[in-house]
Amino acid sequence: MNQQIERMKELTEQLRAASKAYYQDDREIMSNLEYDRMYDELLRLEKETGVVLTGSPTVSVGYEALDSLPKERHESPMLSLDKTKEVSELADFAGNHEILVSWKLDGLTVVLTYRGGSLEKAVTRGNGEIGEVITNNARVFQNIPLHIAYQGELTLRGEAVITYSEFEKINEEIEDVDAKYKNPRNLCSGSVRQLNNEITAKRHVRFYAFALVRADEIDFDNSRSRQFEWLKSQGFDVVEYRKVRAEQVADTVAYFAEKIQHYEIPSDGLVATYEDIAYGQSLGRTAKFPRDSIAFKWQDETRETKLLEIEWSPSRTGLINPVAIFEPVELEGSTVSRASVHNLSIMKALKLGIGDTITVYKANMIIPQIAENLTGSGNIEIPGQCPVCGGPTAVRCANDVETLYCTNERCSAKKIKSFTLFVSRDAMNIEGLSEATLEKFIAHGYIHCFADIFHLDNFRDEIIAMEGFGEKSFANLMQSIEKARITTLPRVIYSLGIPNIGVANARLLCRFFDYDLDKIRSSSLEEVASIEGLGEVIAGSVVGYFADEENDRMLQLLLKELTIEAPQETSGEQIFEGKTFVITGSVNHFANRNELKAFIEERGGKVTGSVTKKTDYLINNDTTSSSSKNKKAKELNIPILSEEDFLDMAQ
């Protein structure tokens, strides 16, 4: 008995630490499979002993609300669901009743309240009793109706999620994403629980309703599916579901299991709920679980394989992640041969060693993970040098998690943002080099400086063999690189990533020095500071950049790869001389806002990012919107122009 209690204490402590890391800190210190295994062991011990320890995750629900957001108590507790991995148990749950089988989405649960047809409140699940108020953030979710036809009080629950494709896109754009976000669920959690809803809006969070809590005076004829259909009629997206009986459960699970292979929305299983509302409610609840629903978690398909090596993958933050390379195996219909180990702590806990026999699986049937190590030789040596730059490494420990870092500030892996800027549309405009792709090429040693990008053909065979590449994509990449060799001086200046030098300032600089790069490189602080619109701070950035020997060396190598065209003299009249514009919202007549900005600057105007007393015009196709910029413009009596208005003025 005492040994069982001690084991329960150990499991409780480890599971609580893992939950805190996952839910509050948005980081991962153990795999989902390991967490489930430990949780099930603790649950079994609690049943055997009849003891439930204080703080046990079997009675604690979710995470504690953070102090940075207002807190609010839910009208009724939000309970977890009991779970199973057996299809037969799901069929037993159905019994002689109809059930709804739907996705169990892997995001952040949110409760919405509408009154008088308007969204009044949005609160996260929190710890099940107290959540965080995120109303302002919910208003900028991609698919939540701000106003609905129903005028009574409506309360519904759903999951805020970020799709896999959006996750990949954001992953390329957010500077610290590899340090903070390991999967769409963590990114969604960080996006929804923001103090600044502009960040939430940029991350394209979506909401899928999974339960209607209250809708006064609406008769749903005792039917869950009718509740879903009614929510759809009010403009809500609801989770995909199927209404089935026990004999149809196996086929239904097979349908969802097939679909998840290519499903865009993260899901960690299914939920079954009784179609008969009254029957489900009559069953009551346990201390933690409602009895009208049950969760079905995917039975992870595991395979044994042999660990071949640990690849050390550096990133933009200096973090060096261990990646397990193993003999290829078939999992969930595809061949896998590598899996992230996340950090040194997990690698040590698994006692990984070259030649070990390991079992691997796909978390949520998507992401390859190591389940366990059957050999446990633990012979992996932690590298003392960065695999990219050769600089010294250091082991750091934070929140009881050990990680490996490169200490060389000039490591090219740390400069991923500068390479991303270099290939961007307004710089060298090289298509096919996303931030994720650049990171792979840098980690493999293909790119150390800007000029190396123009010699990627030296690694043709290796690149074609990479996941996501092939003959056609490589050919397209090389075509884009060759096209980028012919460019303009403003593009080159902008692409260098000089602090405070954006597209507009790059043009100002080139114009002032007559498009002569040698003059720019040898310019003095006083000369650059004399350019209207720049000033001493920006001048210091420019002069300091070109005075750096390493920057000069990289530029010399780059110039050997480029043909810089002479500037085309603009004959356009400077009709916007002395005028300041702000551009917001989407554009229709220009490819993007940067193209509109260039149009204005070529005609003598200036474009800034915020509306102030010095602004002459705000360009926004939605002239009647209640955006902050529109409101500010109206307060200051600044004209708000649509593109059509602006183009009429430009004629």
Side-chain angles (χ1 to χ4, degrees):
M1 180 76 167
N2 287 339
Q3 287 183 337
Q4 289 175 308
I5 296 294
E6 287 303 312
R7 177 57 177 162
M8 288 164 61
K9 288 180 179 178
E10 181 183 357
L11 289 168
T12 296
E13 184 177 345
Q14 292 176 345
L15 290 169
R16 286 178 65 186
S19 291
K20 180 181 181 297
Y22 188 72
Y23 288 108
Q24 287 187 250
D25 302 333
D26 293 332
R27 58 190 177 86
E28 193 170 336
I29 62 175
M30 71 171 62
S31 69
N32 291 338
L33 189 70
E34 183 63 18
Y35 185 94
D36 287 345
R37 183 178 296 156
M38 293 170 70
Y39 182 96
D40 291 341
E41 182 185 353
L42 177 60
L43 195 62
R44 176 178 57 78
L45 289 170
E46 287 177 345
K47 288 179 179 178
E48 289 177 1
T49 62
V51 175
V52 178
L53 299 172
T54 301
S56 169
T58 65
V59 293
S60 300
V61 183
Y63 62 89
E64 292 299 321
L66 302 178
D67 292 333
S68 56
L69 288 169
K71 299 175 184 177
E72 181 167 308
R73 184 174 295 276
H74 296 295
E75 289 186 15
S76 59
M78 297 184 64
L79 304 178
S80 296
L81 297 180
D82 199 0
K83 67 179 186 294
T84 179
K85 290 188 175 183
E86 301 298 330
V87 176
S88 60
E89 289 187 18
L90 206 59
D92 290 343
F93 171 82
N96 296 321
H97 299 272
E98 276 190 314
I99 59 172
L100 298 188
V101 178
S102 62
W103 290 116
K104 183 176 181 293
L105 300 183
D106 192 17
L108 194 70
T109 300
V110 175
V111 184
L112 302 182
T113 301
Y114 287 75
R115 288 191 178 96
S118 297
L119 175 63
E120 182 177 274
K121 185 170 56 180
V123 184
T124 68
R125 179 176 183 272
N127 66 2
E129 293 187 0
I130 298 174
E132 301 155 312
V133 179
I134 49 117
T135 310
N136 287 339
N137 296 341
R139 293 185 193 280
V140 297
F141 286 179
Q142 290 292 291
N143 61 334
I144 281 185
L146 297 180
H147 300 279
I148 60 176
Y150 176 65
Q151 295 297 300
E153 182 169 339
L154 167 65
T155 304
L156 68 153
R157 296 171 182 169
E159 200 79 355
V161 295
I162 288 178
T163 63
Y164 283 110
S165 59
E166 193 64 35
F167 169 69
E168 293 297 335
K169 180 180 176 183
I170 294 170
N171 209 25
E172 296 171 7
E173 298 171 353
I174 298 176
E175 186 170 356
D176 61 350
V177 69
D178 65 334
K180 284 191 174 182
Y181 306 119
K182 303 299 181 186
N183 51 52
R185 187 263 164 212
N186 284 7
L187 177 57
C188 183
S189 176
S191 301
V192 171
R193 298 155 63 200
Q194 284 284 337
L195 295 179
N196 180 359
N197 67 353
E198 283 191 47
I199 297 174
T200 307
K202 291 175 181 176
R203 295 182 181 175
H204 300 150
V205 179
R206 302 187 69 83
F207 175 88
Y208 292 89
F210 60 67
L212 191 153
V213 179
R214 172 191 293 175
D216 296 337
E217 300 179 1
I218 301 292
D219 183 8
F220 297 108
D221 198 23
N222 197 37
S223 166
R224 291 282 182 196
S225 58
R226 290 198 180 184
Q227 287 183 336
F228 276 2
E229 292 306 310
W230 182 81
L231 285 173
K232 287 181 183 179
S233 75
Q234 297 297 310
F236 295 97
D237 288 335
V238 303
V239 291
E240 181 185 359
Y241 66 92
R242 291 195 162 191
K243 186 163 62 172
V244 300
R245 290 194 172 274
E247 60 270 19
Q248 300 167 302
V249 164
D251 288 341
T252 302
V253 172
Y255 161 79
F256 282 105
E258 171 64 26
K259 186 164 185 177
I260 199 175
Q261 303 297 327
H262 309 288
Y263 198 46
E264 263 287 271
I265 303 170
S267 166
D268 56 0
L270 304 172
V271 174
T273 304
Y274 291 114
E275 161 71 354
D276 186 321
I277 298 173
Y279 173 74
Q281 291 176 342
S282 73
L283 299 176
R285 46 176 278 191
T286 67
K288 185 180 179 184
F289 305 126
R291 290 194 173 101
D292 68 344
S293 300
I294 188 172
F296 173 83
K297 298 200 74 174
W298 303 115
Q299 188 73 260
D300 298 307
E301 180 184 1
T302 61
R303 289 284 184 271
E304 281 192 17
T305 185
K306 181 180 178 181
L307 182 65
L308 301 177
E309 65 173 302
I310 291 290
E311 178 184 283
W312 298 92
S313 178
S315 64
R316 66 184 73 86
T317 62
L319 181 67
I320 304 176
N321 289 308
V323 179
I325 311 298
F326 44 82
E327 290 181 347
V329 290
E330 288 289 321
L331 275 178
E332 312 291 358
S334 65
T335 302
V336 295
S337 59
R338 55 194 291 126
S340 174
V341 188
H342 300 301
N343 54 57
L344 298 184
S345 293
I346 291 178
M347 187 185 78
K348 290 178 179 179
L350 287 168
K351 298 180 181 179
L352 293 180
I354 304 304
D356 282 353
T357 299
I358 59 175
T359 60
V360 294
Y361 72 106
K362 282 187 177 179
N364 296 344
M365 303 176 75
I366 298 291
I367 304 168
Q369 300 280 321
I370 296 177
E372 58 183 329
N373 184 359
L374 304 178
T375 310
S377 66
N379 63 27
I380 300 296
E381 291 187 10
I382 299 172
Q385 292 182 311
C386 172
V388 169
C389 69
T393 62
V395 176
R396 298 176 185 173
C397 186
N399 299 313
D400 299 322
V401 176
E402 285 188 331
T403 49
L404 185 66
Y405 279 84
C406 172
T407 61
N408 176 18
E409 289 303 319
R410 286 192 174 272
C411 178
S412 56
K414 292 184 179 182
K415 297 180 180 179
I416 183 65
K417 276 297 174 188
S418 65
F419 287 103
T420 305
L421 171 66
F422 181 81
V423 302
S424 66
R425 182 188 300 173
D426 293 319
M428 303 312 292
N429 193 25
I430 301 176
E431 296 180 0
L433 283 179
S434 67
E435 188 165 313
T437 300
L438 283 167
E439 200 160 7
K440 288 180 185 177
F441 288 176
I442 291 169
H444 282 81
Y446 305 158
I447 299 174
H448 298 90
C449 65
F450 295 145
D452 290 340
I453 291 174
F454 295 91
H455 296 285
L456 286 174
D457 54 334
N458 292 337
F459 305 97
R460 177 185 178 279
D461 293 343
E462 294 92 330
I463 293 173
I464 287 175
M466 281 185 175
E467 185 177 351
F469 265 89
E471 293 276 1
K472 185 175 181 180
S473 57
F474 180 80
N476 290 338
L477 173 60
M478 294 312 301
Q479 184 178 0
S480 184
I481 289 173
E482 288 305 308
K483 184 179 178 182
R485 288 182 181 275
I486 301 174
T487 187
T488 64
L489 188 58
R491 282 183 176 274
V492 174
I493 295 297
Y494 173 62
S495 74
L496 297 177
I498 302 171
N500 304 308
I501 297 296
V503 177
N505 286 343
R507 291 197 189 101
L508 284 175
L509 201 60
C510 293
R511 201 176 297 145
F512 183 85
F513 287 104
D514 300 321
Y515 294 87
D516 188 325
L517 179 57
D518 289 335
K519 287 183 180 179
I520 296 174
R521 292 167 70 182
S522 61
S523 61
S524 67
L525 186 69
E526 291 74 16
E527 284 180 300
V528 180
S530 70
I531 302 174
E532 186 178 354
L534 296 190
E536 289 190 8
V537 174
I538 297 177
S541 296
V542 173
V543 174
Y545 181 89
F546 290 111
D548 185 283
E549 290 184 5
E550 179 63 17
N551 290 339
D552 186 67
R553 184 185 71 82
M554 284 178 45
L555 180 57
Q556 291 283 18
L557 292 172
L558 174 62
L559 292 175
K560 293 177 181 178
E561 308 298 333
L562 303 178
T563 299
I564 300 177
E565 294 181 322
Q568 293 183 351
E569 293 297 328
T570 177
S571 58
E573 184 183 350
Q574 301 293 284
I575 57 174
F576 298 138
E577 185 74 42
K579 299 296 182 184
T580 299
F581 294 80
V582 172
I583 306 168
T584 190
S586 59
V587 293
N588 303 319
H589 296 278
F590 294 84
N592 50 57
R593 285 191 289 189
N594 281 335
E595 187 175 289
L596 173 54
K597 182 179 178 181
F599 182 90
I600 293 170
E601 289 172 345
E602 286 169 2
R603 288 156 181 77
K606 181 181 178 181
V607 178
T608 61
S610 57
V611 177
T612 68
K613 291 180 180 179
K614 295 181 180 180
T615 304
D616 293 292
Y617 300 100
L618 171 65
I619 300 175
N620 185 357
N621 279 320
D622 189 355
T623 57
T624 61
S625 82
S626 57
S627 68
S628 58
K629 288 181 179 176
N630 273 32
K631 287 179 180 177
K632 188 69 174 177
K634 289 174 183 176
E635 288 174 10
L636 299 174
N637 293 318
I638 294 168
I640 303 174
L641 308 177
S642 66
E643 272 182 279
E644 287 77 10
D645 298 332
F646 168 75
L647 291 171
D648 288 342
M649 189 172 71
Q651 289 180 355

